[in-house]
């Protein structure tokens, strides 16, 4: 009798684990698009750090990301249970911040003087200077951005598992949180160390075909690494507008309906409709994010000017 009960318990546990694994797989597919933006943004955030500090910075941001998700998973479950109406406004506030941050990044050379830029660059590249302040600012900025993207990932995943028992929801969300964090920051660590891997391979000695191939491959990596980082910097900025704009459009039903109508019309264009149907939503999200970010930046600058005038 006891053995039969034990086997039944083990079978129940296995069934629950199978359900959690299936829900986690479905949720991972739903959040894959945001994951790509998350990767581009975080690779961009750690760009410019001195080579010996790249992995410690990635580690610090990764730990911060796990802490974000440790806050977001229970918060999302609680809000979904007691105040589901608050999810969209909170996401929209985060989306607007992403758009603002993207515009502030674009306008940064115009808003800040050259002395500040020179200090930041020197602090990041000169070992004789104190790196801690600038490094902490980069880490804090990356963790803030991660918080918003993580919130969107958790909400999308929560919508996927909403009909499951509470325990399975918690397990699936926890699995997604850990897997996404490890996956994103593992890839970021690999990307930022591509040049080191290329340098190592390019210095391999020997005249065998394998060694020559390794040296050639190392040279390719050395040439590709800076181009990849520049591309990720551009893609990361675009992702701020795209993700933020998508959140804002989704939260405003008339704007969302208009965007869908434009995308449908673009998809109906002969010959190129399929391509336009894929590109138009992302373009509309990016434009919406750019407009919203510009308005937010103007509002912040005007508020700061008014505040200074009354000091």
């Amino acid at each position: 009798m006891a053995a039969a009960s034990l086997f039944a318990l083990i079978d129940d546990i296995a069934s629950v684990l199978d359900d959690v694994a299936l829900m986690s797989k479905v949720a991972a597919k739903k959040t894959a698009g945001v994951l790509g933006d998350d990767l581009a943004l975080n690779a961009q955030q750690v760009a410019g750090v001195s080579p010996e500090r790249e992995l410690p910075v990635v580690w610090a941001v990764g730990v911060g990301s796990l802490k974000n998700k440790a806050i977001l998973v229970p918060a999302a479950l609680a809000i979904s249970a007691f105040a589901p109406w608050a999810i969209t406004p909170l996401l929209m506030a985060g989306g607007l911040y992403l758009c603002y941050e993207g515009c502030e990044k674009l306008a940064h050379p115009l808003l800040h003087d050259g002395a500040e830029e020179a200090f930041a660059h020197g602090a990041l590249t000169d070992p004789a200077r104190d790196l801690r302040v600038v490094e902490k600012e980069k880490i804090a900025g990356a963790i803030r951005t991660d918080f918003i993207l993580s919130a969107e990932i958790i909400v999308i995943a929560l919508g996927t598992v909403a009909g499951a028992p509470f325990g399975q929801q918690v397990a699936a969300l926890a699995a997604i949180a850990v897997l996404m964090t490890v996956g994103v920051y593992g890839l970021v660590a690999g990307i930022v160390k591509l040049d080191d891997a290329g340098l190592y391979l390019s210095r391999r000695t020997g005249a065998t075909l394998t060694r020559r191939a390794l040296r050639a491959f190392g040279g390719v990596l050395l040439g590709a690494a800076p181009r990849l980082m520049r591309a990720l910097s551009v893609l990361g900025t675009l992702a701020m507008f795209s993700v933020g704009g998508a959140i804002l459009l989704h939260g405003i039903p008339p704007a969302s309906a208009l965007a869908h109508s434009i995308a449908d019309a673009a998809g109906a264009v002969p010959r190129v409709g399929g391509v336009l149907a894929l590109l138009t939503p992302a373009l509309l999200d990016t434009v919406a994010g750019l407009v919203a970010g510009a308005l937010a930046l103007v509002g912040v600058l005007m508020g700061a000017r008014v505040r200074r005038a009354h000091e």
Side-chain angles (χ1 to χ4, degrees):
M1 179 72 75
S5 299
L6 177 60
F7 287 134
L9 177 61
I10 293 173
D11 185 62
D12 289 342
I13 293 172
S15 177
V16 169
L17 291 176
D18 285 341
D19 291 341
V20 170
L22 179 60
M23 288 187 296
S24 300
K25 183 178 179 181
V26 173
K29 288 182 178 179
K30 291 278 183 107
T31 57
V34 183
L35 184 64
D37 293 331
D38 198 4
L39 175 62
L41 270 173
N42 283 292
Q44 171 209 229
Q45 294 278 15
V46 299
V49 176
S50 57
E52 67 274 9
R53 294 296 302 163
E54 286 172 341
L55 290 182
V57 168
V58 173
W59 174 261
V61 179
V63 171
S65 179
L66 278 177
K67 291 178 180 178
N68 284 342
K69 293 177 178 69
I71 296 169
L72 287 166
V73 168
L77 289 167
I79 293 172
S80 177
F82 300 109
W85 54 266
I87 291 178
T88 297
L90 289 173
L91 277 177
M92 290 181 70
L96 183 60
Y97 174 78
L98 268 185
C99 298
Y100 162 77
E101 193 176 45
C103 273
E104 203 279 336
K105 177 180 174 63
L106 292 178
H108 189 83
L110 301 176
L111 299 176
H112 302 276
D113 59 32
E116 179 183 344
E117 291 293 318
F119 169 77
H121 177 73
L124 284 171
T125 57
D126 185 356
R129 293 197 183 187
D130 185 3
L131 298 171
R132 288 174 296 180
V133 174
V134 176
E135 192 173 285
K136 284 181 179 179
E137 288 177 355
K138 280 186 91 66
I139 292 170
I143 292 173
R144 283 195 302 271
T145 302
D146 174 271
F147 188 89
I148 298 164
L149 292 170
S150 295
E152 188 179 8
I153 289 171
I154 295 301
V155 168
I156 293 171
L158 181 60
T160 304
V161 303
F166 181 76
Q168 292 184 21
Q169 290 185 31
V170 173
L173 290 180
I176 285 294
V178 173
L179 289 174
M180 291 294 186
T181 303
V182 172
V184 166
Y185 290 98
L187 284 172
V188 170
I191 289 170
V192 299
K193 301 309 287 184
L194 268 181
D195 53 350
D196 289 346
L199 182 62
Y200 172 77
L201 292 175
S202 68
R203 290 178 173 176
R204 302 288 285 174
T205 58
T208 64
L209 179 62
T210 301
R211 291 301 178 96
R212 290 201 302 270
L214 287 175
R215 286 196 295 272
F217 183 60
V220 171
L221 287 181
L222 276 175
R227 294 187 181 92
L228 177 60
M229 291 306 297
R230 284 195 294 271
L232 286 174
S233 180
V234 173
L235 290 174
T237 302
L238 288 175
M240 289 182 177
F241 297 124
S242 179
V243 174
I247 295 172
L248 292 173
L249 287 179
H250 181 75
I252 305 173
S256 180
L258 178 61
H260 281 299
S261 298
I262 295 173
D264 291 341
V269 175
R271 296 185 182 179
V272 294
V275 176
L276 291 177
L278 291 174
L279 297 179
T280 302
L283 179 61
L284 292 174
D285 292 341
T286 303
V287 171
L290 183 58
V291 172
L295 292 174
L297 180 60
V298 170
V300 169
L301 292 176
M302 290 179 65
R305 181 172 295 181
V306 170
R307 189 167 58 250
R308 285 196 300 269
H310 286 83
E311 286 178 354

